[in-house]
């Protein structure tokens, strides 16, 4: 039963909002501190007042004892009342004289009537309470009395009996009660004030957290542009807001990159499918013509087989380019060696002259005042050779017959630069901005009978990027297009 009640209470507390829980904790802490200080204050005050009463009793007991016993002895000797020295204790003290002789009754002073005297009974000389202040109730069990009792000797040197001096604790109890009442009233008022002020203070302090909650809800609803407003204070909440804003910016950027990647992937799959569908449709068409017997002439059959072979070659080249892009997109580990781009460019120029003997392809210096530095880079020979081959092939394919193509190699400070320049019609701004996109062609037609795969420059950009370099298009002076490749120069072999 107790365990179930504890679980229910725990569940109810956790069902409250954080603001209410904090205010409740604040009020409970203040209440605990107030109860502790109030209890200690009341106890200390009571102790102090009782000690004052004990001190007064100690100061009065000796003179009271002498005067009281003298009066008792004279009264016992039968002296006339006129000759008795009547002793009246000061108000509100109460004195009880108990003679050692049991035949003599105890005498209570003062002579005026006290309605509720302390309930002391007969104090004998061997009573253990003698000499130490003690507290007793009154005869009506309402008023408390503080009493100090002692043994008293008569003038002959014999023990004459006992004397008890009592002082009512009514003033002490009233003072303590008033203090307790005031502390209860002040405490309740303080609890209410602390609760109200704590509620507003905690809500104000939690205002940045509320904004964070609203921002998180908006982001969960799909608005990735939302940010947490700055709280305007250099505290933990402000630091948390800054960190969350940085995190949200990175999340938005990551989602943007992911969406862009998915969009590029969709475009890539669509373009690749389209590129493969065209030659496949050609091959299928010729195969169906042959199967239906539409090509009975051997020359027609030979022509169809040649077209099928051309389309298969195109598909093979497309698949190889796709595999090359996939390889470089996965950032493969490279085995770089020192590559002299002058030698590499010379080989590429010679290969181009063999493939297109009617075209003019020249290897030229990068500038007239070329420094005497060898254009050597760290990289993969085969990959860099493919870069130059693709750039030269692109220049030959997109310029009119007879247009010269220049390959310039040289150094520019800490960079090795290769420029493939043609002197054709050049590229407009829109085309130049998209020329390195995959499957992009300046020819908008989809009959790629004589064109490439549209992946050559994309492969160039991927390879150059993996070599920590850059490639860009710049206009050729006098007309034409220049593709400039910049790669970090290799350190000297002696360094």
């Amino acid at each position: 039963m107790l365990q179930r009640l504890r679980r229910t209470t725990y569940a109810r507390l956790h069902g409250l909002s954080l603001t209410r829980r904090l205010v409740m904790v604040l009020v409970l802490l203040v209440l605990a501190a107030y109860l502790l200080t109030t209890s200690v204050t009341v106890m200390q005050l009571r102790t102090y007042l009782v000690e004052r009463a004990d001190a007064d009793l100690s100061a009065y007991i000796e003179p009271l004892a002498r005067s009281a016993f003298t009066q008792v002895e004279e009264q016992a000797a039968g002296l006339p009342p006129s000759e008795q020295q009547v002793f009246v204790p000061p108000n509100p003290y109460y004195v009880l004289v108990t003679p050692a002789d049991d035949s003599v009754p105890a005498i209570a002073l003062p002579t005026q009537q006290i309605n509720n005297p302390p309930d002391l009974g007969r104090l004998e000389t061997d009573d253990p309470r003698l000499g130490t202040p003690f507290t007793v109730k009154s005869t009506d069990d309402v008023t408390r009395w503080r009493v100090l009792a002692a043994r008293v000797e008569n003038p002959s040197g014999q023990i004459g009996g006992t004397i008890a001096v009592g002082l009512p604790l009514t003033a002490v109890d009233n003072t303590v009660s008033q203090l307790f009442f005031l502390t209860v009233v002040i405490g309740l008022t303080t609890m209410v004030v602390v609760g109200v002020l704590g509620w507003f203070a905690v809500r104000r302090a939690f205002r940045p957290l509320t904004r964070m909650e609203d921002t998180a809800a908006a982001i969960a609803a799909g608005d990735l542009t939302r940010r947490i407003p700055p709280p305007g204070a250099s505290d933990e909440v402000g630091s948390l807001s800054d960190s969350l804003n940085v995190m949200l910016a990175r999340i938005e950027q990551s989602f943007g990159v992911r969406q862009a990647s998915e969009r590029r992937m969709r475009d890539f799959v669509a373009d690749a499918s389209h590129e493969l569908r065209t030659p496949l449709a050609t091959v299928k068409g010729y195969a169906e013509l042959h199967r239906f017997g539409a090509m009975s002439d051997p020359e027609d059959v030979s022509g169809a087989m040649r077209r099928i072979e051309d389309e298969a070659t195109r598909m093979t080249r497309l698949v190889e380019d796709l595999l090359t892009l996939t390889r470089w997109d996965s950032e493969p580990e490279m085995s770089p060696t020192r590559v002299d781009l002058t030698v590499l460019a010379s080989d590429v120029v010679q290969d181009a002259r063999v493939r297109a003997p009617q075209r003019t392809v020249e290897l030229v210096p990068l500038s007239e005042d070329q420094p005497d530095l060898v254009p050597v880079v760290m990289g993969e020979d085969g990959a860099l050779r493919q870069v130059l081959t693709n750039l030269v092939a692109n220049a030959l394919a997109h310029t009119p017959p007879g247009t010269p193509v220049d390959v310039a190699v040289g150094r520019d400070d800490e960079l090795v630069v290769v420029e493939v320049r043609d002197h054709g019609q050049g590229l407009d701004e829109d085309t130049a901005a998209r020329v390195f996109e995959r499957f992009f062609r300046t020819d908008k037609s989809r009959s790629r009978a004589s064109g490439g795969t549209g992946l050559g420059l994309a492969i160039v950009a991927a390879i150059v990027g993996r070599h920590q370099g850059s490639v860009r298009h710049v206009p050729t002076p006098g007309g034409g297009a220049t593709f400039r490749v910049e790669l970090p120069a290799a350190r000297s072999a002696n360094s």
Side-chain angles (χ1 to χ4, degrees):
M1 181 66 180
L2 181 61
Q3 186 176 6
R4 184 173 63 183
L5 179 61
R6 187 177 303 171
R7 285 199 303 266
T8 304
T9 305
Y10 184 81
R12 288 181 179 178
L13 288 177
H14 276 264
L16 298 176
S17 64
L18 183 59
T19 301
R20 294 183 179 180
R21 276 187 282 170
L22 286 178
V23 173
M24 184 181 297
V25 170
L26 176 63
V27 172
L28 290 178
L29 289 177
V30 174
L31 177 61
Y34 193 79
L35 289 176
L36 178 62
T37 55
T38 299
S39 301
V40 172
T41 302
V42 170
M43 291 175 59
Q44 291 295 327
L45 178 62
R46 182 185 295 277
T47 302
Y48 171 74
L49 294 177
V50 171
E51 289 177 352
R52 286 282 304 273
D54 292 344
D56 292 341
L57 293 175
S58 299
Y60 274 106
I61 192 168
E62 289 189 9
L64 288 174
R66 287 194 299 269
S67 300
F69 257 93
T70 300
Q71 181 175 336
V72 169
E73 288 179 353
E74 290 177 352
Q75 182 177 349
L79 296 177
S82 57
E83 299 182 12
Q84 296 181 15
Q85 299 178 359
V86 179
F87 168 73
V88 179
N91 193 39
Y93 288 90
Y94 173 82
V95 179
L96 177 66
V97 178
T98 305
D101 187 358
D102 294 339
S103 61
V104 180
I107 300 175
L109 302 174
T111 55
Q112 67 267 26
Q113 184 68 28
I114 294 180
N115 295 328
N116 299 306
D119 187 10
L120 292 174
R122 185 178 181 86
L123 289 174
E124 303 295 339
T125 56
D126 58 351
D127 196 297
R129 296 177 293 178
L130 299 180
T132 304
F134 58 92
T135 303
V136 296
K137 290 290 187 68
S138 62
T139 55
D140 61 353
D141 201 25
V142 175
T143 306
R144 297 188 317 125
W145 288 78
R146 192 68 174 171
V147 179
L148 178 61
R151 290 179 294 182
V152 181
E153 296 181 359
N154 58 17
S156 61
Q158 297 179 353
I159 297 177
T162 62
I163 183 172
V165 181
L167 185 65
L169 296 179
T170 305
V172 174
D173 292 340
N174 291 338
T175 302
V176 173
S177 298
Q178 290 180 3
L179 176 63
F180 182 76
F181 175 76
L182 289 176
T183 53
V184 168
V185 173
I186 295 174
L188 293 177
T189 305
T190 303
M191 292 302 103
V192 174
V193 173
V194 168
V196 174
L197 294 181
W199 173 267
F200 287 103
V202 171
R203 288 199 61 176
R204 182 175 180 83
F206 278 7
R207 190 174 300 169
L209 298 181
T210 304
R211 295 173 182 169
M212 293 181 191
E213 181 181 3
D214 296 338
T215 302
I219 292 174
D223 185 6
L224 297 179
T225 61
R226 286 287 295 274
R227 295 293 181 270
I228 301 172
S234 300
D235 53 8
E236 291 81 358
V237 177
S239 177
L240 178 61
S241 299
D242 295 338
S243 301
L244 288 177
N245 282 335
V246 173
M247 182 187 70
L248 292 175
R250 292 182 178 176
I251 291 176
E252 182 183 9
Q253 181 181 6
S254 299
F255 269 92
V257 171
R258 177 182 176 183
Q259 291 175 352
S261 176
E262 292 177 350
R263 185 173 58 255
R264 288 195 302 269
M265 179 60 68
R266 288 193 298 267
D267 295 342
F268 181 81
V269 172
D271 290 337
S273 301
H274 187 89
E275 295 294 334
L276 289 172
R277 184 173 59 184
T278 301
L280 285 174
T282 302
V283 171
K284 182 180 178 182
Y286 280 109
E288 289 178 349
L289 288 175
H290 184 270
R291 181 166 57 85
F292 292 147
M295 294 183 296
S296 57
D297 189 352
E299 185 176 352
D300 294 337
V301 174
S302 177
M305 292 299 104
R306 185 178 64 254
R307 289 299 308 278
I308 291 174
E309 183 180 2
D310 292 341
E311 296 302 325
T313 302
R314 285 187 58 210
M315 286 190 292
T316 301
R317 188 166 63 249
L318 176 61
V319 171
E320 290 176 351
D321 288 346
L322 290 174
L323 291 175
T324 302
L325 272 178
T326 303
R327 174 175 175 267
W328 288 104
D329 283 344
S330 62
E331 298 185 356
E333 293 185 3
M334 298 191 302
S335 300
T337 59
R338 295 177 64 85
V339 180
D340 188 340
L341 289 187
T342 302
V343 176
L344 200 64
S346 178
D347 293 343
V348 172
V349 168
Q350 292 297 328
D351 294 342
R353 290 172 179 172
V354 172
R355 290 197 306 270
Q358 74 281 5
R359 302 295 296 270
T360 301
V361 183
E362 299 290 342
L363 179 63
V364 299
L366 184 65
S367 61
E368 297 297 333
D369 54 346
Q370 178 68 29
D372 189 15
L373 295 174
V374 180
V376 177
V377 299
M378 295 298 296
E380 288 190 350
D381 182 275
L384 295 175
R385 187 181 298 272
Q386 185 174 7
V387 167
L388 298 184
T389 300
N390 286 4
L391 289 176
V392 172
N394 184 75
L396 294 175
H398 294 89
T399 54
T403 303
V405 175
D406 299 329
V407 179
V409 182
R411 289 283 295 269
D412 186 4
D413 294 332
E414 297 299 322
L415 296 176
V416 175
V417 179
V418 178
E419 290 185 352
V420 178
R421 309 165 182 164
D422 66 59
H423 301 276
Q425 67 274 20
L427 301 177
D428 56 40
E429 293 183 1
D430 294 337
T431 301
R434 301 184 56 193
V435 73
F436 293 103
E437 295 181 7
R438 300 176 182 184
F439 295 109
F440 177 77
R441 294 185 180 87
T442 56
D443 179 14
K444 302 302 181 182
S445 67
R446 285 296 183 176
S447 61
R448 309 293 195 248
S450 60
T453 62
L455 298 175
L457 293 181
I459 293 174
V460 169
I463 295 175
V464 172
R466 285 289 291 134
H467 283 77
Q468 309 301 319
S470 63
V471 57
R472 68 180 187 274
H473 164 266
V474 294
T476 303
T482 297
F483 289 91
R484 180 182 177 92
V485 178
E486 296 178 349
L487 296 170
R491 295 183 179 181
S492 174
N494 299 325
S495 62

